[in-house]
Amino acid sequence: MASNATVGQKCPSPMKATSNGLFQGDNPLDFALPLAILQICLVVVLTRGLAFLLRPLRQPRVIAEIIGGILLGPSVLGRSKSYLQAVFPPKSLTVLDTLANIGLIFFLFLAGLEIDPKALRRTGKTALGIALAGIGLPFALGIGSSFLLRATISKGVNASAFLVFMGVALSITAFPVLARILAELKLLTTDIGRMAMSAAAVNDVAAWVLLALAVALSGSNSSPIVSLWVLLSGCAFVICLSLIVPPIFKWMAHRCHEGEPVEEVYICATLAVVLAAGLATDAIGIHAMFGAFVVGVLFPKEGPFAGALVEKVEDLVSGLFLPLYFVSSGLKTNVATIQGLQSWGLLALVIFTACFGKIVGTVVVSLSFKVPVREALALGFLMNTKGLVELIVLNIGKDRKVLNDQTFAIMVLMALFTTFITTPVVMAVYKPSRGRKEDYKHRSIERKNPDTQLRILACFHSARNIPSMINLLEASRGVAKREGLSVYALHLMELSERSSAILMVHKARKNGLPFWNKGRRSDSDHVVVAFEAFQQLSQVSVRPMTSISSMADMHEDICTTAESKKAAIIILPFHKHQRMDGSLETTRTDFRWVNKRVLEHAPCSVGIFIDRGLGGTTHVSARNVSYSITVLFFGGHDDREALAYGTRMAEHPGISLNVIHFVVEPETIGEISAIDMQENSGLNSMSLDEECLSEFKQKILKDNSVKYEERAVRNATETIAAIHGIGRCNLFLVGRMPDGELALALKRRSECPELGPVGSLLITPDFSTTASVLVIQQYHGSLSVNLASDMEEESPEKESESS
């Protein structure tokens, strides 16, 4: 880092830690702590802003962090000497580098946690062949290109070290970045994803060994004996650590029990071991990060200990300290040094060599193992992913004077380009099969034989949704003579760049099929216990699952799961929750768009559940259930579905059902307003409604818990007044898009298109009710009408948020 100072300049005086403040005449930026705080804040704001801008391109955050580092360095903002002197003065760079390397040490520990040695031993021939080809050919091409670089822009550098550094730089695959790209593209648990991860893990380990060799060769002492000692000491260190550390960590892991907090002493001891291992490798003459990485690889992956440790460390390290490493790299990267046709030609050559070696080597070996052409191409580009590991190699080379400014800048741009193209190219060449469309009969609750099994996919975002959702499922049980109720409880979680999210996705059994993984989240055990208790008390088949995906793709997981599980209805939580004063408050707007996309693409019926505390905040046992449920019937397929669901609920001994059929008074038919009746489904819908109501009336003749009422109204105002006048009610069941003149008149008052006119009316602030609402859309083989256009009018951010 001292290279930023001009030659011959007097060494800057060391900075004091803290200032006395502006009022005492001190400039805070002349002191180490306030300046470091400013640097961290600037880095975090810039990198997070760039990550937000690059999100539509589905780029990993490492791209934003590399670009942010280059922007803050001499390539862009650093052209202003006053800025560089004020924000990144030479005397502050030691502190910045120290913080960056502490972040790097702990990040490499987390990266090591993602590599499972047992999985490496089980690596198949295909993955091993791809890994060897992905290392061998690029390494050879890197050595070849190094001769050309040494003859032009890298004269006078250590020849052997330069050869190895170039070979390693071109042959590396960034395992952590690849995991995030695969998870984002929903490929992590496909055959191609598993193959890529296995090959990348082998590649990663081989790259670290080669890098250790390069570091040993690049020492200031030119004697080969010293390099050999460094290498042998590094091997001895790994062997000793492999014998000593795993038993200690396993002992700690056995003392950490599922569902109990991990003791602080174990966390502190582990972090101290990571730092001690870093000190040992630094003393040997290899970078301190090697020790941390080895500890991460040796750390036991089973049990709650690893998950708790990751949760404690990852946010602080990945969010604050690690971006400083990219700035540290950016301050060494001056794109302006790439001048003239020769330099730009060398940049093109290095990029071509890196891509050609990785892609061609991987594709050829994949095809020889009978991998399909598209999958082989996708594997080639995936294995070409660079990122942080590449920057580590380059920074060590720069610090060891193996790479000069121009070569360093060329290699950084190569790493940026190869990682940037990975996602768009893989998306273009490879579309993963989501499995064949399941052909199943019961895609709705309304059916000819009501005694068949009902399958429900119940989705929830957080533990807050669970009690009411379980009470709703309890009400849906029906009677014992039926085939019963089968519930799939799907926990919707957003995929982040956190290591814990990637570790969770690794546990998935099958692509597109969400999974359940105990003990990874603080509220996971509560979720498991709640659904297990419900299953035991109600004899309902319940399978809890977790879906981890980006908000743009979450609807795909929901729809694919409903398809594979042959669900009749998907129940989604509304994007607003009830506050203490009874009003509804938006939880996250993103979930509204998830609901909208599910309504458009669902392979079965869909219900949106507006929770106002159905049954309170706890699971109500079957014998204590006492609910009054009201179905508001106007007509149409959605209303018939709501009536079918209400009829099933009415079989529960603790539930009373009230069906209100709104009809237009005969003398006012056609006088409500000028409405285009072409939007209705016409006489056919009316006849189906009459048939449905006739069957319903026959069923309830001997059932005292069910009441049917026809309410004649003249206009929308009377309809609203009639709904306001409904007495005790715990749950409203309404169709999303009811038919008829009255429903169309109410539509003008609609505020939430996804809820339809009646659902929107029931959640308005002036409608004082404590009843929950379930808005139902029946599956009828076609997409919902006008929902996309209605919501597009409401949201100017539609383009950026939609998939």
Side-chain angles (χ1 to χ4, degrees):
M1 298 300 295
S3 59
N4 285 312
T6 56
V7 178
Q9 183 180 358
K10 185 180 177 181
C11 288
S13 57
M15 301 178 77
K16 291 184 178 179
T18 57
S19 72
N20 293 319
L22 289 169
F23 296 110
Q24 300 286 344
D26 284 349
N27 179 2
L29 297 186
D30 291 337
F31 296 83
L33 179 63
L35 184 58
I37 292 171
L38 173 66
Q39 290 169 343
I40 292 172
C41 293
L42 180 64
V43 169
V44 170
V45 169
L46 180 62
T47 54
R48 290 300 172 130
L50 287 170
F52 178 79
L53 294 176
L54 291 171
R55 191 185 298 168
L57 300 176
R58 304 181 79 166
Q59 293 295 329
R61 198 168 70 211
V62 66
I63 291 288
E65 289 168 335
I66 293 174
I67 295 174
I70 292 172
L71 290 178
L72 290 172
S75 301
V76 184
L77 294 176
R79 290 177 177 273
S80 167
K81 298 301 178 186
S82 56
Y83 151 82
L84 208 57
Q85 192 61 37
V87 182
F88 295 103
K91 58 185 177 181
S92 74
L93 297 181
T94 302
V95 176
L96 182 70
D97 264 357
T98 304
L99 290 174
N101 278 284
I102 289 174
L104 181 66
I105 286 170
F106 284 112
F107 182 82
L108 263 295
F109 167 67
L110 296 177
L113 273 175
E114 293 182 13
I115 294 178
D116 188 355
K118 293 178 183 177
L120 284 180
R121 287 196 292 269
R122 295 192 299 268
T123 300
K125 291 181 181 178
T126 306
L128 188 61
I130 290 170
L132 294 176
I135 297 170
L137 185 57
F139 194 86
L141 291 175
I143 290 176
S145 61
S146 69
F147 287 105
L148 186 59
L149 289 170
R150 281 190 70 235
T152 51
I153 62 173
S154 297
K155 295 176 181 177
V157 297
N158 184 323
S160 56
F162 187 68
L163 295 181
V164 180
F165 265 105
M166 285 299 297
V168 173
L170 266 63
S171 60
I172 264 182
T173 296
F175 182 87
V177 180
L178 177 63
R180 281 149 185 79
I181 290 175
L182 288 168
E184 174 71 23
L185 297 178
K186 293 188 179 297
L187 297 176
L188 191 59
T189 53
T190 60
D191 289 338
I192 185 176
R194 282 191 288 268
M195 209 179 299
M197 288 298 286
S198 298
V202 175
N203 188 303
D204 219 27
V205 173
W208 288 116
V209 173
L210 291 171
L211 183 55
L213 174 63
V215 170
L217 291 172
S218 64
S220 56
N221 193 320
S222 58
S223 171
I225 301 297
V226 174
S227 299
L228 181 62
W229 270 114
V230 170
L231 199 58
L232 290 174
S233 299
C235 294
F237 167 79
V238 173
I239 293 169
C240 291
L241 216 60
S242 302
L243 296 173
I244 298 169
V245 167
I248 297 172
F249 283 146
K250 283 179 182 176
W251 177 81
M252 290 182 185
H254 284 313
R255 294 180 65 86
C256 299
H257 303 293
E258 200 79 57
E260 296 180 6
V262 177
E263 289 187 35
E264 180 193 8
V265 65
Y266 298 147
I267 301 290
C268 291
T270 304
L271 299 183
V273 168
V274 172
L275 292 173
L279 174 63
T281 49
D282 191 79
I284 289 170
I286 312 175
H287 198 286
M289 64 181 178
F290 282 100
F293 179 76
V294 172
V295 173
V297 172
L298 296 175
F299 198 88
K301 311 299 187 287
E302 299 82 15
F305 190 20
L309 191 62
V310 169
E311 294 251 345
K312 300 278 186 187
V313 176
E314 65 181 338
D315 287 338
L316 183 66
V317 171
S318 301
L320 285 182
F321 290 128
L322 191 63
L324 295 180
Y325 194 80
F326 294 96
V327 175
S328 177
S329 300
L331 291 171
K332 302 173 190 174
T333 308
N334 190 354
V335 179
T337 58
I338 307 175
Q339 294 178 342
L341 190 60
Q342 183 192 64
S343 294
W344 287 105
L346 288 170
L347 172 62
L349 174 68
V350 168
I351 290 175
F352 174 79
T353 306
C355 295
F356 182 85
K358 274 286 184 186
I359 297 167
V360 172
T362 302
V363 168
V364 169
V365 172
S366 300
L367 291 175
S368 69
F369 281 104
K370 303 294 188 293
V371 176
V373 176
R374 283 183 176 273
E375 288 192 18
L377 276 171
L379 271 171
F381 281 100
L382 286 169
M383 295 300 291
N384 197 35
T385 303
K386 307 296 183 190
L388 176 64
V389 185
E390 176 82 1
L391 283 187
I392 293 169
V393 175
L394 300 179
N395 274 288
I396 293 174
K398 182 78 164 61
D399 293 339
R400 301 279 176 130
K401 304 291 189 296
V402 176
L403 304 177
N404 60 22
D405 289 349
Q406 195 171 354
T407 310
F408 182 80
I410 286 174
M411 299 302 289
V412 168
L413 292 182
M414 178 273 291
L416 185 63
F417 176 81
T418 53
T419 308
F420 189 90
I421 65 170
T422 299
T423 301
V425 172
V426 171
M427 289 176 67
V429 301
Y430 181 69
K431 301 285 185 185
S433 171
R434 301 293 290 178
R436 65 179 184 84
K437 289 288 183 182
E438 295 283 345
D439 184 21
Y440 65 99
K441 185 177 179 182
H442 300 302
R443 295 177 181 267
S444 62
I445 296 172
E446 186 186 22
R447 55 188 70 170
K448 289 183 179 179
N449 181 9
D451 291 334
T452 52
Q453 185 186 57
L454 175 63
R455 296 187 173 210
I456 296 177
L457 178 65
C459 305
F460 59 96
H461 307 144
S462 65
R464 177 192 294 151
N465 307 130
I466 293 173
S468 294
M469 188 67 78
I470 288 180
N471 291 333
L472 179 66
L473 297 172
E474 169 62 39
S476 308
R477 274 199 301 133
V479 291
K481 66 179 181 180
R482 292 181 183 272
E483 290 183 16
L485 175 67
S486 182
V487 175
Y488 299 92
L490 184 59
H491 188 181
L492 304 176
M493 294 175 61
E494 184 179 10
L495 175 70
S496 68
E497 300 231 1
R498 298 176 67 178
S499 298
S500 55
I502 304 301
L503 289 171
M504 288 186 72
V505 178
H506 271 303
K507 301 291 183 181
R509 294 193 303 108
K510 183 179 173 185
N511 182 46
L513 177 64
F515 61 96
W516 183 251
N517 181 38
K518 295 185 181 182
R520 284 290 176 200
R521 292 281 168 184
S522 57
D523 61 343
S524 293
D525 296 310
H526 303 118
V527 174
V528 174
V529 169
F531 282 108
E532 283 181 350
F534 172 59
Q535 176 168 287
Q536 291 169 4
L537 292 173
S538 60
Q539 284 80 49
V540 171
S541 170
V542 182
R543 180 181 174 187
M545 300 185 295
T546 299
S547 162
I548 300 183
S549 54
S550 63
M551 297 303 290
D553 293 332
M554 196 170 280
H555 69 284
E556 291 181 9
D557 271 1
I558 296 170
C559 294
T560 305
T561 307
E563 186 93 31
S564 65
K565 297 303 177 188
K566 300 182 179 179
I569 186 169
I570 301 168
I571 298 179
L572 302 166
F574 192 44
H575 68 279
K576 295 183 180 182
H577 69 271
Q578 189 176 32
R579 294 192 297 193
M580 294 296 290
D581 60 1
S583 61
L584 292 172
E585 178 183 44
T586 299
T587 307
R588 275 186 64 177
T589 310
D590 293 354
F591 285 117
R592 182 184 183 189
W593 294 97
V594 172
N595 291 354
K596 169 250 174 185
R597 294 183 191 112
V598 173
L599 285 168
E600 288 182 346
H601 302 290
C604 59
S605 295
V606 180
I608 297 180
F609 183 48
I610 298 100
D611 177 19
R612 288 195 176 107
L614 180 64
T617 57
T618 57
H619 169 211
V620 179
S621 62
R623 66 176 180 273
N624 294 328
V625 168
S626 179
Y627 299 149
S628 175
I629 296 175
T630 302
V631 177
L632 303 180
F633 190 92
F634 292 88
H637 47 80
D638 290 352
D639 279 23
R640 292 196 297 273
E641 185 78 349
L643 180 61
Y645 202 175
T647 305
R648 183 183 179 96
M649 287 182 170
E651 295 170 359
H652 195 293
I655 290 177
S656 60
L657 177 68
N658 185 24
V659 178
I660 301 177
H661 181 202
F662 289 93
V663 295
V664 184
E665 287 192 359
E667 64 271 17
T668 60
I669 291 177
E671 296 179 9
I672 292 178
S673 58
I675 296 169
D676 182 6
M677 292 301 293
Q678 289 182 355
E679 293 184 16
N680 263 355
S681 49
L683 296 173
N684 183 41
S685 176
M686 291 175 63
S687 63
L688 289 172
D689 290 345
E690 290 170 3
E691 183 183 337
C692 176
L693 288 171
S694 176
E695 289 179 7
F696 172 72
K697 291 173 187 176
Q698 290 294 321
K699 286 180 183 176
I700 66 169
L701 286 175
K702 297 180 182 180
D703 193 342
N704 295 328
S705 66
V706 182
K707 295 179 181 177
Y708 172 78
E709 175 187 354
E710 284 191 2
R711 191 75 60 89
V713 291
R714 288 178 291 184
N715 51 40
T717 305
E718 288 192 7
T719 306
I720 294 169
I723 297 173
H724 272 283
I726 294 172
R728 176 181 174 267
C729 179
N730 299 102
L731 176 67
F732 282 106
L733 294 177
V734 299
R736 195 180 78 81
M737 295 301 292
D739 286 347
E741 289 184 352
L742 290 169
L744 288 169
L746 287 173
K747 192 175 181 181
R748 295 176 178 176
R749 300 172 180 267
S750 176
E751 296 176 3
C752 297
E754 71 271 30
L755 297 184
V758 184
S760 297
L761 173 67
L762 292 171
I763 67 161
T764 51
D766 57 342
F767 191 85
S768 56
T769 180
T770 57
S772 300
V773 183
L774 183 63
V775 181
I776 299 175
Q777 172 184 281
Q778 186 181 52
Y779 175 81
H780 54 284
S782 61
L783 299 182
S784 64
V785 183
N786 294 330
L787 178 63
S789 59
D790 288 345
M791 294 191 75
E792 189 172 357
E793 289 175 9
E794 288 190 16
S795 174
E797 300 175 358
K798 168 74 166 64
E799 291 183 8
S800 64
E801 291 189 20
S802 63
S803 57

